[in-house]
Amino acid sequence: MAASKVNTKIELQFGDKAVTEDQLVAAAKKAYGKKDIKSLDIYVKPEEGRAYYVVNGDVNGSFEL
C-alpha cells in the first residue's frame, strides 16, 4: 500500500512576524539569484532576524526575514 500524500503548511511565527515555508524558499531563491538549484537547505534564526541557505551542498548565503 502506497502512502498517501499529506497536505502540510509550515509557518514560523516570532514576535510580530510570520513567514511560511513558501516565502522562505522564494526568498532564498531570490537571494541566490541563479536557476541551477538541485538542493536547497534553509536554516532560520529568528533571534537574528535572518535565514541562512545552502544551495547544492556548497554555495551559502543569508537573507533578512
Side-chain angles (χ1 to χ4, degrees):
M1 176 188 270
S4 62
K5 180 164 173 58
V6 175
N7 291 325
T8 61
K9 176 184 175 183
I10 298 173
E11 181 175 276
L12 175 65
Q13 299 177 341
F14 54 102
D16 61 348
K17 294 184 180 183
V19 63
T20 66
E21 178 183 15
D22 290 342
Q23 290 170 322
L24 288 170
V25 170
K29 286 180 175 180
K30 182 178 178 183
Y32 178 59
K34 298 178 187 173
K35 302 283 184 195
D36 65 337
I37 299 173
K38 292 182 177 64
S39 68
L40 175 62
D41 300 323
I42 301 173
Y43 305 91
V44 181
K45 305 235 8 203
E47 68 276 11
E48 294 179 8
R50 298 200 69 75
Y52 298 84
Y53 63 87
V54 179
V55 176
N56 301 334
D58 65 350
V59 178
N60 58 58
S62 68
F63 56 92
E64 190 172 323
L65 295 173

